[in-house]
Every structure is written in structure tokens, then in C-alpha cells.
DNA sequence: GCGACAG
DNA sequence: ATCTTGTCGC
């Protein structure tokens, strides 16, 4: 959908470099997260030119998941590619294990991309996670690509007050370490909870979220992905 | 033991 | 996340 010839699948632009069993039971998945978090790399992100956003919508009852990916240029935020995928959702939602639930359909849509993003924004946590391995970190390590997490609500609590101006933020701590931030993207609206996923640092994460946020609370890539996922679900049921 | 808890 | 009705404000 939207690729030049209209039907390229698995162009290989994005490769999963590490195998993973999405049916791994919760207990083992938790241990795996703790172990894999050691592979997360925090470093500056070279000036990104292309950014992607991913989101998943669910059918009534949560039987099916519709994943959408939107790729845009920076700093113009011009959409250059969109892809989508539909999968049956088999894993139950458990705080801290979102990647297990949304992983299969998300991996599938990522593999459809023909444009390689310099960084991918996920709707959820990066390292601001109980085991420092939210969905953004999970996909960053699996695909060896820079990722960030941008959640609408907190998984880990925010420490301190944050100012009311765009760009103001308050730290998210775990064991006295700053992992992320509650960031004001627009005055007068609830902050977003951001954290590095992989191959970026917190400063670059904040810069990217501000660079992709225009007149809405959420970064354009995930906002557009959200809209696309919802429209696909709507089209599918009628 | 109790409460909190991305989507 | 999804399910719902109404409400406030530009």
C-alpha cells in the first residue's frame, strides 16, 4: 500500500536481526526483558532525516490488531510512505509486556517498509520501564535501529513538577537513574512520557518529540499512524 | 499485604 | 486498547 509498484513485500529495508518467539510465556518474557535490556545502547542520534511512527488499533473484543506505519521526512514532516498489517491478537495485555501483545503485527508491518527510517517512534515506553525494556527498546534491539518510546500515560511515575511551557519536562526515575521524561509538547495539555528505546539518548529523544510535534499533543508520526490504523479497522468492519 | 500498572 | 454520553470551547 503506497509503495511504488504497489506490491513489494519484504523489501528487506528493515531486517529483524535477532530471532524472538512471540509466544514466550509471561514469566519467561519478563526474564528475557531483564536480560536483553543490557543490549540497549544510549548514544546521540545523528540528525535524523526520516522518521517513522507505529501504532496498533484493535477490533471489538481485541480479536484482531491493525498496525500502521507512517514514514515522514524531517523537518517538513512530509509523508513519504505508509504501510499496514492485520493480525490476530493472541497475547493478553499485561503492564510491562505490551511488546508481547503488539509484537507480531508490529514486526510484520515494519518488514513491509521500503524506506528506511533513521529513527522509529513507538506508542509506549522505551527504557522508562520496570525492566528498562519497553516496546521501543524491544524493537530497537530486534531490528538494530534507533527507536524512542512516547506514551500518553505513565508506566513509571514522574518525579517533581513540570512547567507549563512547550519543552518543559520532569524526570522519570528508576533506582535514582533518569530514564525518561514527562514532556510538555503543547501548553494546556497533558504531557507525554518519553524515553529512549535504543541507539538514542534522552536529550535526542526530547528533541525528536519536539521536532515532530506541531499543533497536536502527540508526535505527527504516531498520530498519523493512529489515524490510519483506526480507518483500516473501520473499513474492515462493514 | 496493598496499590499501581504503556496499550 | 475498546466501550459509551454528554460537555466544554475554539
Amino acid at each position: 500500500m503506497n509503495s511504488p509498484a504497489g506490491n513489494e513485500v519484504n523489501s528487506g529495508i528493515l531486517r529483524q536481526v535477532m530471532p524472538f518467539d512471540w509466544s514466550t510465556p509471561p514469566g519467561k518474557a519478563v526474564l528475557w526483558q531483564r536480560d536483553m535490556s543490557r543490549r540497549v545502547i544510549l548514544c546521540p542520534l545523528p540528525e535524523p532525516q526520516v522518521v517513522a511512527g507505529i501504532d496498533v488499533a484493535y477490533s471489538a473484543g481485541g480479536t484482531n490488531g491493525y498496525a500502521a506505519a507512517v514514514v515522514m521526512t524531517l523537518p517538513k514532516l512530509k509523508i513519504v510512505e505508509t504501510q499496514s498489517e492485520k493480525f490476530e491478537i493472541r497475547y493478553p495485555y499485561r503492564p510491562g509486556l505490551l511488546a508481547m501483545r503488539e509484537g507480531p503485527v508490529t514486526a510484520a508491518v515494519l518488514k513491509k517498509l521500503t524506506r528506511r527510517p533513521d529513527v522509529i517512534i513507538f506508542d509506549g515506553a522505551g527504557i522508562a520501564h520496570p525492566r528498562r525494556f519497553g516496546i521501543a527498546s524491544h524493537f530497537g534491539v530486534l531490528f538494530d535501529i534507533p527507536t524512542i518510546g512516547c506514551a500518553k500515560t505513565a508506566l513509571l511515575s514522574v518525579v517533581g513538577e513540570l512547567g507549563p511551557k512547550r519543552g518543559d519536562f520532569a524526570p522519570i526515575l528508576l533506582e535514582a537513574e533518569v530514564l525518561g521524561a514527562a514532556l510538555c509538547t503543547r501548553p494546556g495539555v497533558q504531557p507525554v512520557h518519553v524515553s529512549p528505546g535504543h541507539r538514542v539518548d534522552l536529550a535526542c529523544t526530547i528533541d525528536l518529540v519536539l521536532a515532530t510535534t506541531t499543533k497536536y499533543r502527540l508526535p505527527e508520526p504516531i498520530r498519523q499512524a493512529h489515524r490510519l490504523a483506526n480507518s483500516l479497522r473501520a473499513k474492515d468492519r462493514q
Side-chain angles (χ1 to χ4, degrees):
Chain A
M1 185 176 275
N2 243 21
S3 50
N7 59 356
E8 288 99 324
V9 175
N10 296 331
S11 66
I13 291 297
L14 264 153
R15 296 283 181 80
Q16 186 172 327
V17 300
M18 182 176 301
F20 182 69
D21 178 8
W22 295 110
S23 63
T24 302
K28 284 187 64 178
V30 163
L31 297 176
W32 188 84
Q33 290 180 326
R34 215 186 303 284
D35 187 46
M36 293 304 288
S37 68
R38 295 178 303 168
R39 305 218 191 180
V40 168
I41 295 171
L42 300 182
C43 61
L45 176 71
E47 200 70 67
Q49 310 291 308
V50 182
V51 57
I54 304 279
D55 190 44
V56 178
Y58 295 85
S59 60
T63 308
N64 295 306
Y66 300 80
V70 173
V71 184
M72 22 179 88
T73 59
L74 282 170
K76 300 287 190 180
L77 299 180
K78 189 82 177 171
I79 296 178
V80 293
E81 182 178 3
T82 65
Q83 294 291 350
S84 61
E85 188 56 87
K86 174 188 178 182
F87 264 54
E88 181 183 349
I89 298 295
R90 308 186 176 212
Y91 215 89
Y93 172 71
R94 295 256 306 263
L97 292 176
L98 177 64
M100 298 304 299
R101 182 168 167 80
E102 302 193 340
V105 69
T106 299
V109 79
L110 284 179
K111 289 174 181 174
K112 280 188 168 183
L113 292 179
T114 64
R115 290 287 302 257
R116 186 178 183 84
D118 295 317
V119 59
I120 305 173
I121 306 178
F122 285 79
D123 193 338
I127 60 172
H129 174 278
R131 294 167 293 280
R132 305 178 187 217
F133 207 70
I135 190 169
S137 300
H138 195 130
F139 276 93
V141 170
L142 243 53
F143 284 77
D144 188 30
I145 191 169
T147 60
I148 74 165
C150 179
K152 296 177 289 298
T153 61
L155 180 53
L156 298 182
S157 53
V158 179
V159 176
E161 304 289 304
L162 72 160
K165 308 189 307 297
R166 169 177 160 83
D168 286 344
F169 62 89
I172 294 174
L173 308 180
L174 180 64
E175 296 159 353
E177 192 175 342
V178 180
L179 299 183
L183 174 67
C184 177
T185 56
R186 281 203 75 182
V189 303
Q190 287 298 109
V192 292
H193 296 67
V194 305
S195 59
H198 185 52
R199 292 191 182 286
V200 302
D201 58 26
L202 182 55
C204 293
T205 294
I206 290 173
D207 287 346
L208 180 65
V209 170
L210 291 175
T212 52
T213 304
T214 55
K215 52 195 303 194
Y216 299 95
R217 178 193 178 209
L218 300 178
E220 280 304 298
I222 56 177
R223 198 178 76 83
Q224 294 298 342
H226 191 269
R227 295 184 55 180
L228 176 55
N230 279 325
S231 71
L232 289 165
R233 174 186 55 192
K235 183 186 301 181
D236 212 31
R237 62 170 182 197
Q238 65 67 45

